Amino acid sequence: MYYLEMARRNTVTLLALLLPLWWLAHALGYLVHEYAHSFTAWALGYKANPMALTYGRLTVPNVLLLFDIDENVNYGPIFADGKGYLASVIAVSGVLFGNGVFYFVARWLFFLAKEWRREALGLLAFLLCLMNVGNFFGYVPVRTFTTHADMATVERGLGISAWWVAIVLGIPFAIAISHFFSTLLPDACGFLFPDRRVAQVVLLVVSSATAFFFPFGASGLRGYGDVSHWISAVSSCVLFPAVVILCWRSSSSLRVSSLKDSAAGAPGLP
């Protein structure tokens, strides 16, 4: 009974921490992305102060979701110098260097948390991974076929079609997203909420909603053109629920299989 009560308390504590840690992970993923732009521009000689982001106004939406924060990089002089390829490097650095590197750091932190049996740290690390793969999807393919923002700058700087970005970045990003939902999510459910199906479903829904609905999947609904709008609409209305259903069915099948294997190996059973 003591261990059951402790497990119950741990589940309640982690669920209570889910929203504030989600906010913290989103803020860290957002800032890493913007600072990657800024530091890359500084390293290439096109920004004087890498810490000088545009931080926006002190409003509730900006404090909660940082939507007014921007890299504060002026691409005009870079293109004027005939160095479009450097503009492309700066533009892609947010999602590729910032979120890409941060994803592996967060993965490492998650496995450390498992080894140390630190569930709160593990939840934060898991959410950091989620925010990074969410950024992958939010840029490729959601905001790849547009006339402005990071991916459009990459395409302009290199003189390439959006399809090249969708393929070259889309393949590794798709692998990372698939691995997250097929491997890391079940691993996190088992570590954070063992035998707590309701809590596992909450984590699954939050993960799918974050990546495929808000804030990443729906990021192309306004201001990025028709193609991004429809990709976001499909992501929000189709991919979000589909991933929930597929992951739920997969985890349920694995659980049933595990129970059957345990029963088959029990003493006195055929």
Side-chain angles (χ1 to χ4, degrees):
M1 289 296 293
Y2 171 77
Y3 291 106
L4 288 175
E5 183 63 26
M6 287 297 292
R8 192 175 296 112
R9 288 181 181 177
N10 188 60
T11 298
V12 171
T13 300
L14 289 177
L15 288 176
L17 287 173
L18 183 57
L19 184 58
L21 290 182
W22 186 99
W23 173 83
L24 177 60
H26 175 266
L28 291 173
Y30 197 106
L31 289 172
V32 163
H33 180 100
E34 299 302 332
Y35 276 119
H37 287 303
S38 188
F39 271 84
T40 303
W42 169 75
L44 293 175
Y46 283 99
K47 190 169 183 179
N49 181 3
M51 300 301 293
L53 300 183
T54 299
Y55 291 98
R57 299 165 297 168
L58 189 61
T59 61
V60 172
N62 193 35
V63 170
L64 291 179
L65 295 170
L66 312 182
F67 282 167
D68 289 343
I69 294 181
D70 181 73
E71 68 202 65
N72 191 24
V73 174
N74 184 2
Y75 289 95
I78 308 175
F79 282 107
D81 286 346
K83 304 254 182 97
Y85 62 95
L86 293 183
S88 296
V89 171
I90 296 169
V92 81
S93 63
V95 68
L96 189 61
F97 304 147
N99 296 121
V101 172
F102 198 38
Y103 174 72
F104 289 105
V105 172
R107 284 289 307 273
W108 170 76
L109 186 61
F110 176 78
F111 288 118
L112 277 184
K114 282 186 64 178
E115 185 177 337
W116 296 340
R117 303 300 304 173
R118 297 290 187 268
E119 287 85 356
L121 178 61
L123 178 58
L124 175 60
F126 171 79
L127 291 172
L128 290 173
C129 289
L130 171 62
M131 296 306 167
N132 288 301
V133 298
N135 266 288
F136 296 162
F137 185 74
Y139 282 93
V140 183
V142 173
R143 287 176 288 176
T144 299
F145 299 88
T146 184
T147 57
H148 69 285
D150 291 351
M151 297 302 102
T153 302
V154 172
E155 294 149 17
R156 177 188 171 192
L158 296 178
I160 59 175
S161 163
W163 283 106
W164 279 107
V165 173
I167 294 170
V168 173
L169 292 182
I171 291 174
F173 285 1
I175 292 171
I177 295 167
S178 176
H179 184 267
F180 175 87
F181 281 96
S182 65
T183 303
L184 189 58
L185 175 60
D187 194 14
C189 286
F191 168 50
L192 300 171
F193 304 114
D195 300 319
R196 294 289 185 270
R197 296 297 283 173
V198 173
Q200 291 177 1
V201 171
V202 169
L203 191 63
L204 166 58
V205 172
V206 167
S207 300
S208 184
T210 298
F212 300 111
F213 178 45
F214 180 82
F216 300 110
S219 59
L221 284 176
R222 294 183 179 180
Y224 291 94
D226 291 341
V227 176
S228 289
H229 173 87
W230 284 109
I231 292 174
S232 282
V234 170
S235 175
S236 302
C237 299
V238 179
L239 285 181
F240 163 39
V243 168
V244 171
I245 293 169
L246 289 172
C247 289
W248 167 255
R249 291 185 63 181
S250 175
S251 64
S252 297
S253 299
L254 288 173
R255 184 168 179 265
V256 169
S257 176
S258 177
L259 289 173
K260 286 181 179 179
D261 291 344
S262 299
L269 292 175

